[in-house]
Amino acid sequence: LHVRSRRQRQMCIRDRLNNIPVYVVHVRANNDLRRDYIKSHLSLFGINNPVYMLEGDMSDLSPELLEQYFKGDFKKVSPEASCTIKHLYIAELIAKGKEDMALVFEDDIALAKNFPTLINKCLQEISNREDINSSPFLVSYENNNKFVPRSEQKEGVMLYPRKEGRFAGAYILSKSAAQVMTDHTAENKCHVVSDWYHKYLAEQGLINIHWTHPTFAEQGSHNGKIKSLIDDKKTGFVRRIVWKIQSFIKKRFTRNLR
């Protein structure tokens, strides 16, 4: 009987990760600190050649481009529109790609130390569950202080259906869901930020969203470690402590709330 060492198991997991496309939402202009951070951070997990989405900076948002992708009050030059169009560009690439799914990150994401093990478990469950892999799906594994109610958690189950995403800082997007998103945007335009757009598509029955339990990623702009490029959320020690307290309370006491 051949028993693989811990190092061999980790290498096997990383090999699987290397076979899945990885995309990173990143601002092209004046953003060296974030670029250095995300490059260094992802390399810790053997992710050394992600595709950085550099198109779609605010300076790129011409009236023609805004008209092509957006509608209503969202059809204007803003950090939110810039971030969203980068996600839409990534969806277009995934839809055109050869792989069945891809990982999408924003450039302030912080992955848990056991990310390789948990993402591999997540991918395995996707592969094993026809209710997920037979439909256009998005899997969110990011902590946004919303958790799977304890009353719904099942032993050996990691993925749970939901009608909304968490944030859009770390998720798995299937090729078919990316195509749905691309087609819907082309025909109807996008009217809200990325995570709300995911929720809208799920409410329309166009894609299926699943949350992981546990979560294993957080955005630095939400937990206070990195300054947000979209709004004026505070950074620093106090913000980090408040975030940790909120996470602890909601993890501990979430039961029957959806």
Side-chain angles (χ1 to χ4, degrees):
L1 178 65
H2 176 64
V3 179
R4 290 184 297 181
S5 68
R6 180 180 179 185
R7 178 175 177 78
Q8 286 174 321
R9 292 196 301 270
Q10 289 175 335
M11 289 179 66
C12 181
I13 291 172
R14 291 192 178 192
D15 285 343
R16 185 166 185 174
L17 279 176
N18 288 337
N19 292 325
I20 297 180
V22 177
Y23 296 89
V24 179
V25 172
H26 184 59
V27 175
R28 181 176 68 248
N30 302 319
N31 205 18
D32 292 346
L33 288 177
R34 283 208 180 195
R35 182 192 62 206
D36 293 344
Y37 163 76
I38 194 63
K39 182 178 179 180
S40 174
H41 184 62
L42 293 182
S43 70
L44 296 175
F45 305 96
I47 303 173
N48 296 309
N49 296 296
V51 176
Y52 290 94
M53 179 48 65
L54 304 178
E55 301 303 316
D57 280 12
M58 284 200 294
S59 60
D60 298 329
L61 299 183
S62 64
E64 295 78 16
L65 202 59
L66 291 170
E67 182 66 32
Q68 180 181 349
Y69 282 89
F70 302 124
K71 66 180 179 182
D73 294 339
F74 204 63
K75 191 173 63 176
K76 60 186 178 183
V77 177
S78 68
E80 293 84 356
S82 172
C83 183
T84 299
I85 204 169
K86 288 174 182 283
H87 281 274
L88 295 175
Y89 283 163
I90 287 173
E92 291 174 0
L93 292 177
I94 296 172
K96 293 176 183 176
K98 297 180 180 179
E99 302 299 329
D100 292 336
M101 66 189 81
L103 306 185
V104 181
F105 298 122
E106 293 189 352
D107 63 5
D108 63 336
I109 202 67
L111 305 176
K113 292 180 179 179
N114 58 348
F115 169 78
T117 299
L118 291 177
I119 195 69
N120 187 65
K121 182 179 178 182
C122 181
L123 294 171
Q124 187 63 53
E125 187 167 333
I126 291 172
S127 177
N128 292 340
R129 286 180 55 178
E130 190 174 350
D131 63 310
I132 299 177
N133 62 47
S134 64
S135 65
F137 67 82
L138 182 154
V139 172
S140 175
Y141 49 91
E142 177 184 1
N143 175 21
N144 71 336
N145 280 336
K146 292 182 180 179
F147 303 98
V148 176
R150 293 170 63 185
S151 59
E152 297 180 25
Q153 295 170 20
K154 299 177 182 179
E155 185 176 355
V157 177
M158 189 177 197
L159 302 175
Y160 298 85
R162 283 293 178 271
K163 282 297 185 183
E164 63 178 324
R166 283 153 162 162
F167 297 135
Y171 57 93
I172 303 170
L173 188 65
S174 72
K175 179 181 173 71
S176 57
Q179 188 65 63
V180 167
M181 195 175 302
T182 298
D183 292 344
H184 188 274
T185 303
E187 184 175 349
N188 301 284
K189 316 300 181 189
C190 174
H191 60 295
V192 284
V193 294
S194 300
D195 49 337
W196 291 5
Y197 194 45
H198 298 159
K199 177 181 179 181
Y200 173 78
L201 295 175
E203 289 174 339
Q204 300 302 306
L206 298 175
I207 67 172
N208 292 326
I209 294 177
H210 285 74
W211 289 6
T212 65
H213 173 75
T215 59
F216 45 98
E218 286 186 353
Q219 285 188 66
S221 56
H222 289 288
N223 66 21
K225 291 184 178 180
I226 299 176
K227 180 175 175 57
S228 173
L229 297 179
I230 292 180
D231 55 36
D232 58 356
K233 283 190 290 290
K234 294 181 178 180
T235 60
F237 177 76
V238 173
R239 169 69 180 178
R240 292 199 294 273
I241 293 299
V242 169
W243 177 266
K244 287 183 178 181
I245 292 173
Q246 289 175 338
S247 293
F248 174 80
I249 292 173
K250 292 187 178 182
K251 280 181 184 177
R252 183 91 176 179
F253 297 107
T254 295
R255 292 183 182 274
N256 297 312
L257 298 178
R258 280 188 174 269

